[in-house]
Amino acid sequence: MKIEHQIDHKKVAQTLHINKVWIPLLLGIGMLAYLLTTDPELKPDQLPRIWEAKIGYVILAIATVIIRDIMYIYRIRILTKASLSWLSCFYIIILWEFSSAVTPSAVGGTLIATFLFLKEGISFSKALAYVMVTAIFDNLFFICMAPLSFWFATDNLVTPASSVHIGFWISYTLIT
């Protein structure tokens, strides 16, 4: 028995419309402006110096995000056994990341990623399997690397008995 999936493209286009992005974007920029203007320790003449001192870190952060997305593209290409082109994998990852950033986590990237795979001609069951496998891999990475990262950061960022430290281990235990 084959289940037909009818997709109402007009409804999808209305749901994922570009105009819905402006509100979160403006809220974020507005919050940044508010925090910069209300910080009592930050004076206007310090802004250029802060930018100059941190430009290396900004470049490093951008490079890290680019490398991460390239690895995500590669992961999708491997999972689909090269049935998708590199460009299709790129579109899926970029739109997946974007949708994860602008939608509530309950809806989030999982639903939209499944839809994106469907748009690229992948069957629903395979699309859902790819999304779930990537979620499992992401959680596995977190389970393996978070304690190691937190262990190295404990001496520099938080004290061992702080609420951040305790909150991390509670959160980690629940996720694991």
Side-chain angles (χ1 to χ4, degrees), residues 5 7 75-76 79-81 83-84 92-93 96 109-136:
H5 296 284
I7 298 174
R75 176 172 69 178
I76 293 299
L79 283 174
T80 61
K81 296 181 181 170
S83 66
L84 294 177
I92 287 173
I93 293 302
W96 190 346
T110 304
L111 178 66
I112 297 193
T114 306
F115 171 75
L116 293 170
F117 279 111
L118 284 171
K119 292 295 284 180
E120 292 297 329
I122 303 291
S123 69
F124 179 74
S125 58
K126 283 186 177 182
L128 196 56
Y130 294 149
V131 171
M132 298 316 296
V133 165
T134 58
I136 290 168

Side-chain angles (χ1 to χ4, degrees), residues 141-156:
F141 180 80
F142 174 77
I143 289 168
C144 294
M145 297 306 293
L148 186 63
S149 300
F150 200 75
W151 181 64
F152 282 119
T154 299
D155 294 336
N156 298 325

Side-chain angles (χ1 to χ4, degrees), residues 2-76:
K2 186 173 182 178
I3 299 173
E4 290 291 325
H5 296 284
Q6 296 295 333
I7 298 174
D8 185 2
H9 296 288
K10 193 172 192 176
K11 188 174 181 180
V12 170
Q14 289 173 346
T15 304
L16 300 175
H17 199 271
I18 189 70
N19 287 336
K20 294 187 177 183
V21 173
W22 291 110
I23 293 173
L25 183 67
L26 292 174
L27 284 172
I29 291 171
M31 183 56 76
L32 177 65
Y34 171 76
L35 291 172
L36 286 174
T37 56
T38 59
D39 187 357
E41 296 179 13
L42 185 64
K43 296 175 180 47
D45 61 329
Q46 292 176 320
L47 287 176
R49 238 182 4 183
I50 289 172
W51 176 252
E52 291 167 8
K54 306 297 182 194
I55 189 71
Y57 293 116
V58 171
I59 292 170
L60 182 63
I62 291 170
T64 303
V65 169
I66 290 170
I67 291 168
R68 183 197 65 174
D69 285 346
I70 290 169
M71 295 286 91
Y72 281 172
I73 292 166
Y74 182 67
R75 176 172 69 178
I76 293 299

